[in-house]
Amino acid sequence: MTGETPASSKTPIRTWHKPPFITNPFLRWGLLIGCVVYAVWALYTLPFDWARIQEGISRAQRIFSGSFPPSFERSELLIEGLLESFKIAILATLLGLALSVPIAFMAARNIAAMPIYLLGRGLIITARSFHPVIVAILFVKAVGFGPIAGILTLTIYSIGFVAKMLAERIEEIDWGQVEALRSSGTRYIAVLQFAVLPQIMPRQIGLAMYQLDSNLRASAVVGIVGAGGIGATLMNAFGRYDYDFALAITLVIIAVILIVEGISGRIRRNIW
Amino acid sequence: MNPSVADRAWSRYTSRQRWTRLAILLVVVLAVSWSLSTINIIWPWVWDAPAQIGDLFTRMMPPDISSISAIIWALIETLNIATIATLIAVIVSLPIAYISAQNTTPNRATLWLGRFILVSSRSVNTLIWALLFVAIFGPGVLAGIIAVMFRSLGFLGKLIGEAIEEIDQRPVEALKATGASHAKVVLYAIVPQVIPTFFAVSVLRWDINLRESTVLGLVGAGGIGVILQGAIDTLDWRTVATVLIAIIVLVIVGEAVAAWLRRKVI
C-alpha cells in the first residue's frame, strides 16, 4: 500500500500492477490480436457439416452402448495381434539400433567430414519428417500387407530418433580419449571403437529401452493401415462395427503400454 | 593369502557384471530368435522389397505439381487443425493440470480423477481417437480437431502439472500470509512461476500436433492426409511424391517456427 501520500497532494494514489509477461506492448497486443484473428479465420474456413455433427450425438450413444461391456470373447485373436506387435517392435528396434550407430557417426560434426555429415543429417531429417503411418502406407504398397511393412516402418522411425540423439551424444564426448588413441597411431575405425563407442554406450542402451517402448506404441498404430500387429486387429474390429471387441483391444493396448512404460522406465533409471 | 595386487590380471568387468551382461545378451538373443521364428513373414517378399521400393520411387519421378493449389489448401487445413486443437487443448488442460498436481489439487478424489484423465488421454494414439470421432461426427476436420485435442490434453496436463508441483512454495506462503484469496494466490504466486513452462510445452505440442495432423486424413479426419490417401488409392504416385514433399516442407517450417517462438517468447 502506498497510502502514505497526504490527501491534499497532487500525486494520485498508485496501486501495484503485475508486470506484463511480454514487456514490449506492440509485441504483446500484436500477438494477442494476431491469435484471435487467426482463430476466427481458421474456424471460419474449416468446413463443418453441422447436420452431420448433430447426428453424431445419437451415433455416439449407439457406439458407446455397443462397446459396453468390452468383449473378450475372441481373446485368441487379441493375443495373437499383441504378440505380433511385440515381435514387430523387437525386430524393428534391433534393426533400427544397428543402423543408427553408423548413421549417428556420420551425422556427428566432430567425427565426420562435411559431405558425410550432410548425408547423415539428411538421412535423419528424412526419417523424422514423416509420421510412421505415412511411411507404413508406402511400405504396405511396396512389400504388401503384414508385419514386414511394420518392421521396416518402425526401423526408419527408430533411426530418426535414436540416430539423432546418439549423434548429439557423440558431439559431446570427451575428446581427450580420441586424441590419446590418435597419438598412438591407431587406425580410424579402432579410434571409433575404443574411444567413442564406450562413451556413448550407456546412452545407447537407454535409448534402446526407450525405443522398444515407443516402437511398441507405434506398432499399434501402423497396423491401422495394414502393417500388422494389434492395430490391424483393432482396425478390423472397428470396420466390422464390433465396438465391444474394439474397446477390449483398446483397453488391452492401454494396459500393455502402461506396463511396458513402467518396466522400461525402471530399467532406464538404473542405467542412465 | 591373497595374491598381491601386482599379480592380479586387470579385467574390465567384475564377474558379476560379466554375468549380468551375458544374461542381458541371452535375453536379447532369445527375444529376437523367438520373434524371427514365429513371426508371419513371407521371405520372398522381403528379398523382393528393395526392388519394389526402387520401383515405387521410379514411379514417383518426376513429382506431379498439377494439383498444387489443392495441396496447399490441404496444408493450410492441416495447419489449422493442429493450431486450433492445440489452442483448445491448452485451455482445457489448465484445470486438469491444476487438479493433477499434488500441491494444488483440492483432494484425493480430484487428484485421481486428474491422473485418470491424463493417462487415458496419453495412452490412446491420435489416430485411434480419430477413428472414434470419425465414427461419431462423420469424416471431416471436426473429428480431426477433437482427436488431436484429446491426445494433447494428457501431454500438456502432465507437463504443466509437473511444473506446478515443482514451484517455489515461498511466494504462495507469502501471499497466504497477507490474507490473499485463493484465486489471487493462484494468479500471483503460481501462474507466474508456471508460465515459461506453459509456453514451452504449448509450442512443443503444437509442433508435434502438426506432424500428427498430416496423417489424420488417412482415417478420414481432414487435412493433407485426405489428398495423400486419395492419390495412393488411385495409384497416382507422382502426386503422392508432391504431397510427401509438401509434408516435409510443412514439418520443417513448423519446426523452424517453433524454435523461433521458443527463443522469442520464452
Side-chain angles (χ1 to χ4, degrees), chain B:
Chain B
M1 255 327 250
N2 282 332
S4 68
V5 176
D7 291 338
R8 272 189 242 156
W10 179 82
S11 63
R12 188 161 161 203
Y13 302 105
T14 64
S15 70
R16 195 178 154 192
Q17 278 173 324
R18 254 200 307 274
W19 284 110
T20 327
R21 291 165 72 87
L22 199 67
I24 294 172
L25 194 68
L26 201 67
V27 169
V28 171
V29 170
L30 280 179
V32 170
S33 51
W34 167 71
S35 311
L36 266 181
S37 58
T38 55
I39 200 165
N40 185 19
I41 285 186
I42 304 163
W43 289 101
W45 286 9
V46 179
W47 310 135
D48 204 24
Q52 292 291 337
I53 293 167
D55 181 47
L56 208 56
F57 270 109
T58 54
R59 282 187 217 185
M60 284 186 182
M61 288 303 136
D64 177 9
I65 49 165
S66 59
S67 53
I68 193 77
S69 66
I71 290 174
I72 289 177
W73 267 108
L75 280 184
I76 293 177
E77 194 176 88
T78 304
L79 178 72
N80 287 347
I81 293 175
T83 314
I84 293 177
T86 312
L87 280 177
I88 303 174
V90 158
I91 296 165
V92 180
S93 70
L94 289 179
I96 300 176
Y98 182 81
I99 63 168
S100 53
Q102 266 173 349
N103 51 350
T104 50
T105 192
N107 54 51
R108 284 256 99 160
T110 51
L111 179 69
W112 287 107
L113 174 70
R115 296 231 166 126
F116 173 74
I117 297 174
L118 295 187
V119 166
S120 47
S121 155
R122 281 191 313 127
S123 340
V124 179
N125 192 281
T126 313
L127 269 188
I128 297 177
W129 281 120
L131 272 177
L132 177 68
F133 290 116
V134 167
I136 294 177
F137 295 120
V141 281
L142 184 70
I145 292 178
I146 298 182
V148 173
M149 191 204 92
F150 261 78
R151 168 74 169 178
S152 309
L153 279 184
F155 181 91
L156 293 167
K158 182 175 196 280
L159 292 177
I160 297 172
E162 277 170 7
I164 297 178
E165 280 179 351
E166 281 164 14
I167 58 166
D168 185 352
Q169 279 295 329
R170 284 169 297 186
V172 178
E173 279 164 21
L175 256 84
K176 276 190 183 154
T178 65
S181 70
H182 187 69
K184 285 201 167 149
V185 172
V186 172
L187 193 60
Y188 291 103
I190 299 179
V191 169
Q193 296 193 54
V194 178
I195 265 193
T197 317
F198 169 78
F199 275 103
V201 170
S202 307
V203 170
L204 178 61
R205 188 66 221 184
W206 175 77
D207 191 13
I208 297 172
N209 283 346
L210 200 56
R211 276 162 210 259
E212 303 260 278
S213 305
T214 57
V215 294
L216 288 171
L218 302 171
V219 294
I224 186 83
V226 177
I227 294 189
L228 183 64
Q229 181 79 75
I232 289 175
D233 285 344
T234 54
L235 304 178
D236 186 359
W237 292 107
R238 292 175 55 212
T239 305
V240 171
T242 321
V243 173
L244 292 182
I245 294 169
I247 290 176
I248 293 196
V249 171
L250 180 74
V251 167
I252 291 177
V253 169
E255 216 161 81
V257 170
W260 177 79
L261 272 178
R262 258 194 292 273
R263 254 181 292 119
K264 204 77 186 168
V265 185
I266 297 151

Side-chain angles (χ1 to χ4, degrees), chain A residues 126-208:
Chain A
T126 344
R128 273 168 53 76
S129 292
F130 293 121
H131 195 284
V133 171
I134 294 181
V135 180
I137 294 179
L138 296 180
F139 276 128
V140 166
K141 291 288 165 187
V143 301
F145 284 96
I148 315 171
I151 294 172
L152 292 176
T153 304
L154 296 183
T155 302
I156 289 188
Y157 176 60
S158 309
I159 291 173
F161 182 75
V162 176
K164 182 177 145 77
M165 301 302 279
L166 214 53
E168 277 165 18
R169 181 69 189 85
I170 295 174
E171 286 173 352
E172 289 164 6
I173 57 165
D174 178 1
W175 201 241
Q177 304 177 24
V178 177
E179 279 174 0
L181 277 187
R182 274 195 185 156
S183 67
S184 69
T186 320
R187 278 175 308 122
Y188 184 69
I189 298 293
V191 171
L192 295 186
Q193 188 187 345
F194 292 106
V196 181
L197 210 54
Q199 294 194 53
I200 61 171
M201 215 47 199
R203 170 63 65 88
Q204 170 75 335
I205 294 169
L207 284 174

